[in-house]
Amino acid sequence: MKCKICNSDSNIIFEKTVLLKYNVNYYQCNNCSFVQTDDPFWFEEAYNNAITSLDIGILIRNNYLTTEISKIIDCCFETAKTMLDFAGGYGIFVRLMRDKGYDFFRQDLYCENLFAKHFDINDINDKHFDLVTGFEILEHLKNPLEEIEEIFKYSENAIFSTELIPESNEEIENWWYISQETGQHIAFYSPKAMKIIAEKFRKNYYCKNKNI
């Protein structure tokens, strides 16, 4: 299998049972260490709900991101005015950031906006923003480069969150982030893979806390 990030050869490193019933191979790139699954034929079933009921960390994660992203914006994007949370789920992050005074809007094609009503991308005419955020979405992408390109159409600047892979194959195989029970995580990134992505889009890559 070819790597979806750098097109180098990838080899099987282990197999997992996804959704408690499908045997799925996981491949790692020989060049950039990006890990990907077999073609995710199970995806429709995995997304019966846009946000899995197993995601019990959704509130603590949004509180963490609100604190961390506020610091980054104030330090690195202090002139930014309008901001977009891509694939923003229920709108929790947008609500929290708006409560702190940041002019955030939400975009999500698959999930109901519960907490950021009237601050959806469909509520405004200008679809270009000073900053776009995308939290816990990179690991869900079937075609990462194509889908990241779509995200960058909203802004020249982006902040993503995803957990970077552990160093050894054994650690990856036993890694909680594989999340084979939900079947929604199919792409896992190394620092080198992230740098290659940044270079492809002529961006500078910076990492904080190994997950932002």
Side-chain angles (χ1 to χ4, degrees), residues 70-128:
S70 297
K71 295 175 183 176
I72 295 173
I73 291 174
D74 292 346
C75 176
C76 304
F77 302 101
E78 56 184 340
T79 62
K81 294 181 179 178
T82 58
M83 289 153 271
L84 176 73
D85 189 32
F86 183 87
Y90 298 134
I92 298 171
F93 176 77
V94 169
R95 179 71 273 155
L96 291 170
M97 292 299 282
R98 293 198 69 87
D99 289 349
K100 288 172 69 72
Y102 299 92
D103 197 10
F104 254 96
F105 292 84
R106 170 201 170 275
Q107 182 274 357
D108 200 310
L109 298 176
Y110 305 104
C111 189
E112 184 181 0
N113 184 352
L114 298 178
F115 295 99
K117 298 285 188 182
H118 312 299
F119 299 107
D120 203 87
I121 190 170
N122 295 322
D123 295 318
I124 54 176
N125 294 322
D126 188 357
K127 310 299 185 186
H128 191 269

Side-chain angles (χ1 to χ4, degrees), residues 6 29 41 55 61 87 150 153 159 165:
C6 70
C29 176
F41 58 86
D55 186 5
R61 184 172 66 249
E150 290 300 310
K153 289 180 180 178
I159 303 175
I165 62 171

Side-chain angles (χ1 to χ4, degrees), residues 3-14:
C3 174
K4 294 179 179 179
I5 303 302
C6 70
N7 204 39
S8 299
D9 290 332
S10 295
N11 299 322
I12 296 173
I13 53 173
F14 54 81

